[in-house]
Amino acid sequence: MIEELSRLPGIGAKSAQRLAFYILHMPKEDVRRLSETLTDAREHVRYCKECYTLTDSEVCPICANAKRNHRQIMVVEDSRDLNAYEKTGEYEGVYHVLHGAISPMQGIGPDDIRLKELMQRLQQTDVDEVIIATNSSLEGETTAMYISKLLKPTGILTTRIASGVPVGGDLEYIDEVTLLRALQGRTTL
Amino acid sequence: MIEELSRLPGIGAKSAQRLAFYILHMPKEDVRRLSETLTDAREHVRYCKECYTLTDSEVCPICANAKRNHRQIMVVEDSRDLNAYEKTGEYEGVYHVLHGAISPMQGIGPDDIRLKELMQRLQQTDVDEVIIATNSSLEGETTAMYISKLLKPTGILTTRIASGVPVGGDLEYIDEVTLLRALQGRTTL
């Protein structure tokens, strides 16, 4: 049991031991429920057939929601980024989850992420805008540039979320590359 | 001596004591030089008559540099922010240092910062663009809005550095307000 648990990310030998002893002292019923939840979740989780986020239904609740703007698609690297934007409570469009970013260093190419699925989706549905919200890392930027080139012939408006000074940020403590981006991305008031 | 030193910011009773003993063991010559440096700096430092940054000459080296673009003025809250942008090595315009930001909470109004001086400067010299680079805090944003209103009648192009995801940032770990700003400030690719 300790061996199995210590294979999980962020759980070392000590934590695994602590968890193991805790579980051994839990009521049998609770342990059975925990085990079933894990198996059930793993068995029923799948990719939404529209946006490819992780979900337990054929179409995720966001894609199934008729009140969302299905003509505006935000492209994110993974489901956690989707959750981050959902927490803002202000975005009303839908998403497309790539499940990764292009990274030549790690041998991840355009075919290894859900890009083909995005292109198919854009052919099948009318879309006004694709918002590229990949991370502001080297991989995220590479992916954004790649997608933008890919979408150019379609004529669909392609936008990129802003890079710049985070809200509440004091310039003095912000790295030079971000300051430079904030300057380059300045907008007219 | 301990009392004097402990009045400095970030120096508590213990640090003051440590510093005091260190100084008492320094060679007399070194102590004299340190004291003179402090007095000299304090005595000769003044505001650049163009941009109001702290300097030891009538006009600071940036304003005195003919190679800088004097038709592009970046407005910052203090000299430390100016230094932050200078470190990027890419900005070729000049600056205007406000020495503060409008903060009704702290009783700091438009007359308490170097805004009048900015307006005078804009009347006396031809300027193509004013880049507002105040912090991304409540006070910084308030000041930016105030300046932009003040400049509207002049017709000078007024821009604001971008707010958004810092470079290298993973969306998952970025606060919701910043994510929202990044979305609102998105640009066409």
Side-chain angles (χ1 to χ4, degrees):
Chain A
M1 181 160 160
I2 294 175
E3 236 180 80
E4 286 279 346
L5 287 170
S6 63
R7 272 184 222 145
L8 298 172
I11 297 184
K14 282 248 169 97
S15 306
Q17 199 173 313
R18 203 183 323 127
L19 281 171
F21 280 109
Y22 182 85
I23 292 167
L24 291 175
H25 285 95
M26 270 164 74
K28 279 186 187 166
E29 191 40 52
D30 287 10
V31 177
R32 203 169 298 129
R33 207 174 46 237
L34 174 65
S35 300
E36 274 170 17
T37 309
L38 297 181
T39 328
D40 268 24
R42 183 62 193 87
E43 234 136 72
H44 293 112
V45 94
R46 43 180 159 173
Y47 296 120
C48 165
K49 68 170 191 154
E50 304 250 320
C51 76
Y52 292 88
T53 193
L54 294 170
T55 178
D56 55 4
S57 46
E58 201 178 350
V59 173
C60 77
I62 297 168
C63 288
N65 186 345
K67 281 183 190 155
R68 305 287 297 224
N69 177 2
H70 288 251
R71 300 176 70 95
Q72 191 177 40
I73 297 181
M74 182 187 284
V75 179
V76 291
E77 289 185 26
D78 56 40
S79 296
R80 282 164 303 185
D81 297 339
L82 179 156
N83 285 339
Y85 256 108
E86 276 305 283
K87 275 193 216 138
T88 69
E90 297 278 339
Y91 177 62
E92 301 190 327
V94 293
Y95 297 89
H96 185 86
V97 181
L98 294 173
H99 292 284
I102 298 172
S103 170
M105 293 279 287
Q106 293 174 59
I108 301 170
D111 294 339
D112 301 317
I113 58 176
R114 303 269 181 184
L115 263 180
K116 224 172 34 240
E117 289 84 348
L118 173 64
M119 297 311 287
Q120 272 165 11
R121 189 171 167 194
L122 293 176
Q123 270 167 13
Q124 286 156 8
T125 50
D126 279 343
V127 169
D128 296 330
E129 182 182 3
V130 171
I131 303 166
I132 309 180
T134 50
N135 290 336
S136 174
S137 59
L138 185 61
E139 293 80 15
E141 294 295 345
T142 307
T143 310
M145 290 328 287
Y146 189 89
I147 299 176
S148 109
K149 270 186 203 160
L150 213 58
L151 294 188
K152 192 140 258 176
T154 67
I156 299 169
L157 173 66
T158 309
T159 57
R160 177 86 174 107
I161 56 166
S163 257
V165 177
V167 173
D170 188 331
L171 298 198
E172 198 189 335
Y173 302 113
I174 289 167
D175 67 284
E176 288 141 36
V177 193
T178 298
L179 285 180
L180 208 55
R181 281 283 191 89
L183 177 62
Q184 286 158 349
R186 65 188 185 272
T187 49
T188 305
L189 284 179
Chain B
M1 179 161 164
I2 295 175
E3 236 180 79
E4 286 280 345
L5 287 169
S6 65
R7 272 185 220 143
L8 298 172
I11 297 183
K14 281 247 168 97
S15 307
Q17 200 174 314
R18 201 179 330 125
L19 282 171
F21 280 108
Y22 182 85
I23 292 167
L24 292 176
H25 284 95
M26 270 164 73
K28 278 186 187 166
E29 191 42 50
D30 289 10
V31 178
R32 203 170 298 131
R33 204 171 50 235
L34 173 67
S35 299
E36 273 169 18
T37 309
L38 297 181
T39 328
D40 268 23
R42 184 61 193 88
E43 236 139 71
H44 295 111
V45 95
R46 44 180 156 172
Y47 296 119
C48 165
K49 70 170 190 153
E50 303 251 319
C51 76
Y52 292 88
T53 193
L54 294 170
T55 178
D56 55 4
S57 45
E58 199 177 353
V59 174
C60 76
I62 297 169
C63 288
N65 185 344
K67 282 184 190 153
R68 306 285 297 221
N69 177 0
H70 288 252
R71 299 176 69 96
Q72 191 178 39
I73 297 180
M74 182 186 285
V75 179
V76 292
E77 288 184 24
D78 55 41
S79 296
R80 282 164 303 185
D81 297 338
L82 178 157
N83 285 339
Y85 256 108
E86 276 304 285
K87 275 193 216 139
T88 68
E90 297 278 339
Y91 177 63
E92 301 189 328
V94 294
Y95 298 89
H96 185 87
V97 182
L98 294 173
H99 292 284
I102 297 172
S103 170
M105 293 279 287
Q106 293 174 59
I108 301 170
D111 294 339
D112 301 318
I113 58 176
R114 304 270 182 183
L115 264 179
K116 223 172 33 240
E117 288 83 350
L118 174 64
M119 297 311 287
Q120 272 166 10
R121 188 172 167 194
L122 294 176
Q123 270 168 12
Q124 286 157 7
T125 50
D126 278 343
V127 169
D128 296 330
E129 182 182 3
V130 171
I131 303 168
I132 308 178
T134 50
N135 289 337
S136 176
S137 59
L138 184 60
E139 292 79 15
E141 293 296 344
T142 307
T143 309
M145 291 327 289
Y146 189 89
I147 298 177
S148 111
K149 270 186 203 158
L150 213 57
L151 294 188
K152 191 142 261 176
T154 66
I156 300 171
L157 173 65
T158 309
T159 57
R160 176 86 174 106
I161 57 165
S163 256
V165 177
V167 173
D170 188 332
L171 297 197
E172 199 190 333
Y173 302 114
I174 288 167
D175 67 285
E176 288 140 37
V177 192
T178 298
L179 284 180
L180 208 57
R181 280 285 190 87
L183 177 61
Q184 288 159 348
R186 67 188 184 272
T187 48
T188 306
L189 284 179

